[in-house]
Amino acid sequence: MIKTKKKIVVDLDVVTVAKWDKGKNGDLGRSFLLRIKNKEFDVVTPFYLLGHLDKWKHITLKEKIENFYLKNSTTLLTNEDVDEKIEDLGIDDIKILLELQSHDIKEEDAFIVLVTSIFELDYLVTFNRKHLRNKEKEINEILAKNGLKNIKIAGPEEV
């Protein structure tokens, strides 16, 4: 039996903590990034996620994060890729994103939730408890209500 790799999207916070934090979470993040570098997962990255780095003032950190995604992503999704998938599914992405945001989920987090669902990825990997991990049930209720697949939100230590 052939074992297939888990398809994941990795939140910016995981890479940021791995590249910046010197503590326990930093160690956990670096360990997870090593697993990614060793091709344990198929990493799907929407360019939208990388676009958020343009706003960052810490250039060295920004470049390290961007390089990580560019080198280690199995699939880079353009905005057009995402738009085509949304059109194929016939969903109202704006409505779904706004509904997620109305439940205190940040715009960029709502977007990666949507991507994780519509591309049927195995995990959204994040350290973010407040806006994502602690809201998995709420998020999946919104997705299901809109005819989308549930997602699994996990920390690096859970994947």
Side-chain angles (χ1 to χ4, degrees):
M1 181 174 180
I2 297 173
K3 184 180 176 191
T4 59
K5 292 181 188 179
K6 298 286 185 199
K7 290 184 179 183
I8 63 172
V9 64
V10 181
D11 195 0
L12 278 172
D13 71 337
V14 174
V15 183
T16 304
V17 167
K19 300 289 182 187
W20 186 263
D21 191 297
K22 303 298 181 221
K24 182 179 147 201
N25 277 347
D27 291 342
L28 184 58
R30 285 184 287 281
S31 169
F32 187 70
L33 296 193
L34 185 59
R35 292 172 63 199
I36 291 171
K37 287 177 185 177
N38 289 331
K39 309 290 186 209
E40 187 175 328
F41 307 99
D42 284 334
V43 178
V44 177
T45 304
F47 272 107
Y48 175 89
L49 195 63
L50 298 179
H52 281 281
L53 294 171
D54 291 339
K55 303 170 191 167
W56 290 24
K57 296 194 182 347
H58 195 292
I59 301 301
T60 305
L61 178 61
K62 172 190 152 184
E63 287 174 352
K64 286 179 182 180
I65 294 167
E66 190 172 70
N67 285 334
F68 172 81
Y69 280 108
L70 293 174
K71 285 181 183 176
N72 295 288
S73 294
T74 310
T75 305
L76 289 167
L77 296 172
T78 65
N79 292 339
E80 186 177 321
D81 294 331
V82 176
D83 289 343
E84 285 175 6
K85 187 70 168 179
I86 288 166
E87 190 175 313
D88 288 348
L89 293 171
I91 59 170
D92 184 345
D93 60 316
I94 303 301
K95 175 182 167 269
I96 297 165
L97 292 170
L98 290 173
E99 191 170 349
L100 288 164
Q101 289 173 51
S102 76
H103 286 80
D104 198 30
I105 296 162
K106 295 185 302 184
E107 179 183 347
E108 62 268 22
D109 291 337
F111 184 80
I112 62 173
V113 162
L114 183 64
V115 166
T116 303
S117 178
I118 66 176
F119 286 94
E120 299 183 17
L121 305 179
D122 295 301
Y123 290 97
L124 187 170
V125 183
T126 184
F127 279 120
N128 187 330
R129 290 188 185 279
K130 182 179 179 188
H131 299 286
L132 289 172
R133 289 169 68 182
N134 291 344
K135 294 190 177 213
E136 184 174 352
K137 185 175 184 274
E138 271 180 83
I139 288 168
N140 281 322
E141 286 170 359
I142 293 167
L143 294 173
K145 183 174 87 174
N146 287 281
L148 295 175
K149 302 267 186 205
N150 282 356
I151 66 170
K152 294 177 193 158
I153 304 172
E157 73 283 4
E158 299 171 299
V159 182

